[in-house]
Amino acid sequence: MTDDIATAFDHPEARASAAGGLPDRLSLRDFVVSADIGAFQEERGATQRLRFNIVVEIAPLPAGLDDDVDRILSYDRLIEAVEAELAGSRLNLLETLAEGVAARILAEPQARRVFLRIEKLDRGPFALGVEIVRDAAALPIAGAGAPCPVVVYLAPEVAETIDLSALLDRYGSGPDPLILALGLPPGTHPETRPATRPDVVTEEARRRIALLAIEQRAWALAARDARLKVVATRTELDWALRHGRAAVWAPSKIVLDTPGAPLDKAADGWALALWLAELLGARRVVAHGTVTIPAGSRVPVERA
């Protein structure tokens, strides 16, 4: 495999002299984009340059090509794979980004194997990166997506007193998985936490404090019934949906990492619940407590 990697990224002259017949390949060299990526706090909210080098081994070109671009795997598809993966949720790891880009490329009918190198160019006077090799023949067979859930929102005034066992029995008996979403408890507006001067608390701090306050409620609620699982990432959420586990949403990571999330409404648990329902294509949203049902929601909304 090491020799394969060296050959893949080597100059075509070296590749041509290699022993044995090598498959045709398509390449994208030194493609540089800027992205918000990284696991460290200092990397959040600031773009940095990423350099992509991609080599794709492809099936033999079809007979009678007739100079028709629609019959081949084009260079544009490689660029689109990178751009589409970066346009999704914010990522912490280059490894995750590489896996996603490789999977998109190998979904193309002509692609057989992909060699991918991604480097960060702005973390120092050097390049930091990862290299992966993925084979289309080794990909797992794609299964069905996560089922459409029912999102149940518990307004602050009912979350503490609701009969949780009865609620889970009611919604858990249906065919659709259940996600519980919560709002801020009364008297815990972001401006009052932490105990410091309000004029020095930044907007980002207010958002994070509000989201963390909702997460505290999620953990407290889950502790009341063993059937509940707190979910903080999209992976955890999809797992819970596929396995029929009733979930309580801890919103910080998904809200902060998803482009287009309503960050200006981080203190509004009802707005976040509606956004999550639309993001997941929920079957419906059920509101327990006092809420204002918006007009034009893409997901059916009903009061309990």
Side-chain angles (χ1 to χ4, degrees), residues 9 21 24 30 56 68 85 103 135 154 165 175 193 205 219-220 226 233 235 253 255 265 277 283 286 296 302:
F9 289 111
D24 295 340
D30 298 326
V56 186
D68 185 352
E85 202 61 26
D135 194 316
L154 303 181
S165 179
R193 300 156 75 93
W219 283 100
T233 68
T235 298
K253 182 167 178 56
V255 171
K265 298 180 180 179
R283 195 82 62 193
V286 182
E302 61 187 62

Coordinates of all heavy atoms in Angstrom, one line a residue, residues 9 21 24 30 56 68 85 103 135 154 165 175 193 205 219-220 226 233 235 253 255 265 277 283 286 296 302:
F9 N 0.8 9.8 -5.9 CA 1.1 11.2 -5.8 C 2.4 11.6 -6.5 O 2.8 12.7 -6.5 CB 1.2 11.6 -4.3 CG -0.1 11.6 -3.6 CD1 -0.4 10.7 -2.6 CD2 -1.1 12.5 -3.9 CE1 -1.6 10.7 -2.0 CE2 -2.3 12.5 -3.3 CZ -2.6 11.6 -2.3
G21 N 0.7 -3.1 -15.2 CA -0.3 -2.2 -15.7 C -1.0 -1.4 -14.6 O -1.5 -2.0 -13.7
D24 N -6.1 3.9 -15.2 CA -6.2 5.3 -15.5 C -6.5 6.0 -14.2 O -7.1 5.5 -13.3 CB -7.2 5.6 -16.6 CG -6.9 4.9 -17.9 OD1 -5.7 4.7 -18.2 OD2 -7.8 4.7 -18.7
D30 N -3.2 20.5 -5.6 CA -3.0 21.8 -5.0 C -4.2 22.7 -5.0 O -4.1 23.9 -5.3 CB -1.8 22.5 -5.6 CG -0.5 21.8 -5.4 OD1 -0.3 21.1 -4.4 OD2 0.4 21.8 -6.3
V56 N -7.7 9.8 -8.3 CA -8.8 8.8 -8.4 C -8.5 7.8 -9.5 O -8.3 8.2 -10.6 CB -10.2 9.5 -8.7 CG1 -11.3 8.4 -8.6 CG2 -10.5 10.6 -7.7
D68 N -17.4 13.3 -25.2 CA -18.6 13.8 -24.5 C -18.3 13.8 -23.0 O -18.1 12.8 -22.3 CB -19.7 12.8 -24.8 CG -21.0 13.3 -24.1 OD1 -21.0 14.2 -23.4 OD2 -22.1 12.6 -24.4
E85 N -18.8 18.7 1.0 CA -18.5 18.2 2.4 C -18.2 19.4 3.3 O -18.6 19.4 4.5 CB -17.3 17.3 2.3 CG -17.2 16.3 3.5 CD -18.4 15.4 3.6 OE1 -19.0 15.1 2.6 OE2 -18.6 14.9 4.7
A103 N -15.8 9.3 0.3 CA -17.1 8.6 0.1 C -17.9 9.3 -1.0 O -18.5 8.6 -1.8 CB -17.9 8.6 1.4
D135 N -11.1 2.3 -1.1 CA -11.4 1.5 -2.3 C -12.9 1.3 -2.4 O -13.6 1.0 -1.4 CB -10.7 0.1 -2.1 CG -10.7 -0.7 -3.4 OD1 -11.8 -0.7 -4.1 OD2 -9.7 -1.2 -3.7
L154 N -41.0 20.4 25.3 CA -41.5 20.6 26.6 C -41.1 22.0 27.1 O -40.0 22.3 27.3 CB -40.9 19.6 27.6 CG -41.2 18.1 27.3 CD1 -40.5 17.2 28.3 CD2 -42.6 17.8 27.1
S165 N -43.2 9.4 32.5 CA -43.4 8.0 32.2 C -44.6 7.9 31.2 O -44.5 7.1 30.3 CB -43.6 7.2 33.5 OG -43.9 5.8 33.1
P175 N -44.8 4.2 15.8 CA -43.8 3.7 14.9 C -42.6 4.7 14.7 O -41.5 4.3 14.3 CB -44.5 3.5 13.5 CG -45.6 4.5 13.6 CD -46.0 4.6 15.0
R193 N -26.2 35.1 33.5 CA -25.3 34.1 33.8 C -24.1 34.2 32.8 O -24.3 34.4 31.6 CB -25.9 32.6 33.6 CG -27.1 32.4 34.5 CD -28.0 31.3 33.9 NE -27.4 30.0 34.0 CZ -27.7 29.2 35.0 NH1 -28.4 29.6 36.0 NH2 -27.2 28.0 35.0
A205 N -20.6 34.4 24.1 CA -20.8 33.9 25.4 C -22.2 33.7 25.8 O -22.6 32.7 26.4 CB -20.1 34.8 26.5
W219 N -30.0 16.8 30.7 CA -29.4 15.7 31.6 C -30.3 15.5 32.8 O -30.4 14.3 33.2 CB -28.0 16.1 32.0 CG -27.0 15.9 30.9 CD1 -26.5 16.8 30.1 CD2 -26.5 14.7 30.5 NE1 -25.6 16.3 29.2 CE2 -25.6 14.9 29.4 CE3 -26.6 13.3 30.9 CZ2 -24.9 13.9 28.8 CZ3 -25.9 12.3 30.3 CH2 -25.0 12.6 29.2
A220 N -30.8 16.5 33.4 CA -31.7 16.3 34.5 C -33.0 15.6 34.1 O -33.4 14.7 34.9 CB -32.1 17.7 35.1
A226 N -34.9 5.8 32.7 CA -33.8 5.1 32.1 C -34.0 4.9 30.6 O -33.1 4.6 29.9 CB -33.6 3.8 32.8
T233 N -24.5 14.9 19.4 CA -24.0 15.0 18.1 C -25.0 14.3 17.1 O -25.9 13.6 17.5 CB -22.7 14.2 18.0 OG1 -22.9 12.8 18.2 CG2 -21.7 14.7 19.1
T235 N -24.3 12.1 15.0 CA -24.0 10.6 15.0 C -24.8 9.9 16.1 O -25.5 8.9 15.9 CB -22.5 10.3 15.2 OG1 -21.8 10.9 14.0 CG2 -22.3 8.8 15.2
K253 N -23.6 21.3 20.4 CA -22.7 21.0 19.3 C -23.4 21.1 17.9 O -22.8 21.6 17.0 CB -22.2 19.6 19.5 CG -21.2 19.1 18.4 CD -20.4 17.9 18.7 CE -19.5 17.5 17.6 NZ -18.6 18.6 17.2
V255 N -26.0 22.8 17.0 CA -26.3 24.2 16.7 C -25.1 25.0 16.3 O -25.1 25.7 15.3 CB -27.1 24.9 17.8 CG1 -27.2 26.4 17.6 CG2 -28.4 24.3 18.1
K265 N -31.1 32.7 18.0 CA -32.2 32.3 18.9 C -31.7 31.1 19.8 O -32.5 30.3 20.2 CB -33.3 31.8 18.0 CG -33.9 32.9 17.1 CD -35.0 32.4 16.2 CE -35.6 33.5 15.4 NZ -36.7 33.0 14.5
A277 N -36.4 20.0 14.0 CA -37.4 19.2 13.3 C -37.3 19.3 11.8 O -37.4 18.3 11.0 CB -38.8 19.6 13.7
R283 N -41.5 14.0 11.3 CA -42.9 13.7 11.0 C -43.8 14.8 11.5 O -44.7 15.2 10.8 CB -43.3 12.3 11.6 CG -44.6 11.8 11.0 CD -44.3 11.1 9.7 NE -43.4 9.9 9.9 CZ -42.9 9.3 8.9 NH1 -43.1 9.6 7.6 NH2 -42.1 8.2 9.1
V286 N -44.7 18.3 18.4 CA -45.8 18.4 19.3 C -45.3 19.3 20.5 O -44.3 19.1 21.1 CB -46.2 17.0 19.9 CG1 -47.4 17.2 20.9 CG2 -46.6 16.1 18.8
G296 N -46.3 28.8 8.2 CA -45.4 28.4 7.2 C -44.4 27.4 7.6 O -43.4 27.2 6.9
E302 N -48.4 20.7 16.2 CA -49.6 20.6 16.9 C -49.4 20.8 18.4 O -48.3 20.6 18.9 CB -50.2 19.2 16.7 CG -49.4 18.1 17.1 CD -49.9 16.7 16.7 OE1 -50.0 16.5 15.5 OE2 -50.2 15.9 17.6

